[in-house]
Amino acid sequence: QRNTTNSGNAASIEKEEEEEEGIFSRKISPSLFIGTRGILSSTAAYALGDDGPNKQQRHVKRVREVMTMGFDGALIVLDWEIPMKTSQQSSANNNATTKPMAYGKDDDDDEFDIKKANSITKPIVLLVHGMNNDSSFGYVRSMMRTATERGWIAVCMNLRGQDGMHRIGNNTPRGYNAGYTGDLRGVVQQIGKRLKRRPGVVGDNAGNNAAAPASAPADDAADALIGGPIFLLGYSLGANIVTKYLGEESLHSTLPPYIGGGAAMGNPLEIRSGTVAFPWNVLLGAGVKRSLLQNLRTFRRHHDPGFQSALRTALAAPTIGALDHAASPYLVRNDPFPPYAPRIGFEDGEEYWWDSSSHRYVGNVSVPLLKISAQDDFLVFGAFRKKLNHCLENPNVVVVKTRCGGHLGWQESPPKPKPAGKGKRG
């Protein structure tokens, strides 16, 4: 009788754990013909992942915002997705008709005004896309869907000059690169001011690092916030930027307390474009040149002869390594210490690659940071493996190596709806 009871309990516990499985405990079965082949899964990650035929079933509000950076007036496009509650979510009857409504008070549109100060009450996932990509790419859309389905707010920061709708171009002669964290820092600080604070707490006292008094404990600043936290999620080049930003801020204890953690997907850790193998070195270079041509009108307005000569050389460069060498004297950079002042130019591509490599900063990260890399990633796994020791030396960094996934090919299809009445026991 005891054995039967124990078996029944074990089966019950196993069933409960299956229903409540998490990221590290659940079984992942990649599709045979795409998920297990690096190049195919990477192609799917870039091309697929949007809502498709189920787009109308998603209850989200999409908002586009254009932020202006204080340093040079660069325009950064943010694409937001804010989850909406439906009448079905608050009803026990799964056959009820769904009616979208704002979270919080019903039909309260103020909840959606994410541009207002002291207004955001939910966790935010801030995504930074990869090189030559933008918020329209499949892996970005897939992750934003995953976040909003859990009731979080998702926002993708399009790097300067990278607008998926091709409406907002680069309005400065300085494009994005792998090492400049100034734009991410500016976006984080502006979003941080919009997080809901407890009554009586004003402005920067609740965690904007630049103006917070040195004597204010970080825990007190975090306790003053009702909204947030903000989680940073970077892909490929964006993962390098996120890691570098977290390392810079953590080293000098200036990381805002509303930053809850981060994830870096497909981060090479070491930037060295000159060693990228054929044909990827040519394809990556072609992608950057396409971006340069899309913003050529702005770049032509910069009358410095050296800049124009470097631009012509970059456009003629056959590979991404040669392009980096040509453009390096005019790339934007920032000091790795407060106030993280912007600078212009590197001596050559080698200096740019060294300055941008996030393995130099990952050991300083003071918040939980998840790093995921696929063994069949044909672009970055070799570089990632060489600098892996820098991640393992930091107890705040968790490293996951997957057997397959290629470059950024980890996203899943939308989950199947659970049968009526099934779910966690309450």
Side-chain angles (χ1 to χ4, degrees):
Q1 179 67 32
R2 181 180 298 174
N3 290 341
T4 307
T5 305
N6 288 344
S7 300
N9 290 341
S12 174
I13 291 171
E14 187 176 341
K15 184 178 179 182
E16 238 180 86
E17 287 178 348
E18 185 179 346
E19 290 177 355
E20 299 179 8
E21 57 192 4
I23 289 178
F24 293 110
S25 59
R26 67 189 174 90
K27 184 179 180 181
I28 299 176
S29 302
S31 58
L32 179 61
F33 295 105
I34 294 182
T36 58
R37 289 162 172 79
I39 293 179
L40 290 181
S41 59
S42 304
T43 304
Y46 280 57
L48 306 177
D50 207 348
D51 308 305
N54 298 322
K55 184 174 182 178
Q56 299 304 322
Q57 298 178 17
R58 288 194 58 205
H59 299 293
V60 298
K61 183 179 179 71
R62 290 183 172 174
V63 177
R64 168 158 276 219
E65 177 184 6
V66 180
M67 274 189 184
T68 303
M69 297 294 102
F71 156 53
D72 59 355
L75 300 179
I76 302 296
V77 178
L78 300 182
D79 286 311
W80 294 81
E81 284 196 6
I82 302 104
M84 297 177 69
K85 186 171 65 175
T86 66
S87 57
Q88 181 177 3
Q89 288 176 279
S90 56
S91 171
N93 182 5
N94 283 343
N95 296 320
T97 303
T98 60
K99 175 188 174 184
M101 61 184 73
Y103 269 98
K105 296 182 179 179
D106 292 354
D107 303 321
D108 181 4
D109 288 336
D110 287 344
E111 186 73 20
F112 290 122
D113 194 354
I114 41 79
K115 301 178 185 179
K116 290 176 61 177
N118 198 34
S119 64
I120 300 178
T121 60
K122 299 182 179 305
I124 299 174
V125 179
L126 173 56
L127 294 86
V128 186
H129 59 77
M131 185 177 185
N132 301 327
N133 301 167
D134 53 62
S135 62
S136 68
F137 277 66
Y139 64 88
V140 175
R141 302 243 54 90
S142 175
M143 182 54 70
M144 294 182 78
R145 181 198 68 220
T146 300
T148 54
E149 282 175 351
R150 286 159 174 77
W152 307 333
I153 294 174
V155 54
C156 179
M157 168 188 167
N158 292 274
L159 298 171
R160 49 172 73 196
Q162 300 298 110
D163 172 23
M165 298 175 70
H166 306 295
R167 294 179 182 173
I168 308 294
N170 192 352
N171 63 328
T172 80
R174 291 166 281 275
Y176 73 92
N177 61 66
Y180 181 57
T181 58
D183 288 343
L184 176 59
R185 184 170 288 107
V187 169
V188 166
Q189 289 178 356
Q190 290 196 47
I191 294 178
K193 294 177 181 178
R194 305 174 188 180
L195 299 178
K196 186 79 172 176
R197 287 159 169 77
R198 299 188 187 281
V201 179
V202 230
D204 291 316
N205 290 336
N208 281 311
N209 58 1
S215 58
D219 290 342
D220 292 348
D223 290 342
L225 290 164
I226 298 174
I230 298 175
F231 294 95
L232 304 181
L233 173 54
Y235 291 91
S236 194
L237 178 140
N240 188 80
I241 293 173
V242 164
T243 303
K244 186 171 183 282
Y245 164 78
L246 291 175
E248 288 174 346
E249 298 276 353
S250 296
L251 177 61
H252 300 285
S253 302
T254 56
L255 187 68
Y258 46 76
I259 297 294
M265 319 289 279
N267 180 9
L269 290 176
E270 181 181 29
I271 303 296
R272 185 165 284 278
S273 304
T275 62
V276 177
F278 178 84
W280 314 118
N281 56 353
V282 175
L283 294 175
L284 289 174
V288 175
K289 285 187 278 188
R290 176 174 173 267
S291 178
L292 291 175
L293 290 171
Q294 287 174 341
N295 295 280
L296 192 59
R297 182 177 299 179
T298 299
F299 295 143
R300 289 294 189 196
R301 293 197 206 112
H302 194 64
H303 299 300
D304 178 78
F307 178 88
Q308 294 301 326
S309 173
L311 178 62
R312 288 190 296 270
T313 305
L315 288 171
T319 64
I320 183 62
L323 192 153
D324 282 353
H325 275 296
S328 58
Y330 295 94
L331 294 179
V332 62
R333 61 193 294 186
N334 59 268
D335 290 336
F337 48 81
Y340 310 105
R343 305 280 184 238
I344 301 295
F346 299 91
E347 185 176 340
D348 53 22
E350 292 285 345
E351 186 187 9
Y352 160 58
W353 297 334
W354 169 253
D355 182 83
S356 303
S357 295
S358 60
H359 75 270
R360 301 173 53 228
Y361 302 89
V362 68
N364 305 323
V365 175
S366 60
V367 292
L369 176 62
L370 174 65
K371 285 197 166 290
I372 302 181
S373 187
Q375 191 171 344
D376 61 350
D377 188 331
F378 46 88
L379 273 182
V380 305
F381 184 72
F384 171 82
R385 183 173 52 187
K386 291 177 183 177
K387 301 298 180 181
L388 181 59
N389 61 299
H390 295 273
C391 298
L392 301 179
E393 291 170 357
N394 187 342
N396 294 314
V397 180
V398 174
V399 179
V400 175
K401 181 185 78 172
T402 61
R403 187 173 299 176
C404 54
H407 192 59
L408 312 182
W410 294 291
Q411 85 275 20
E412 297 176 306
S413 300
K416 296 178 181 178
K418 290 184 179 181
K422 185 176 180 181
K424 294 183 181 180
R425 298 178 183 178

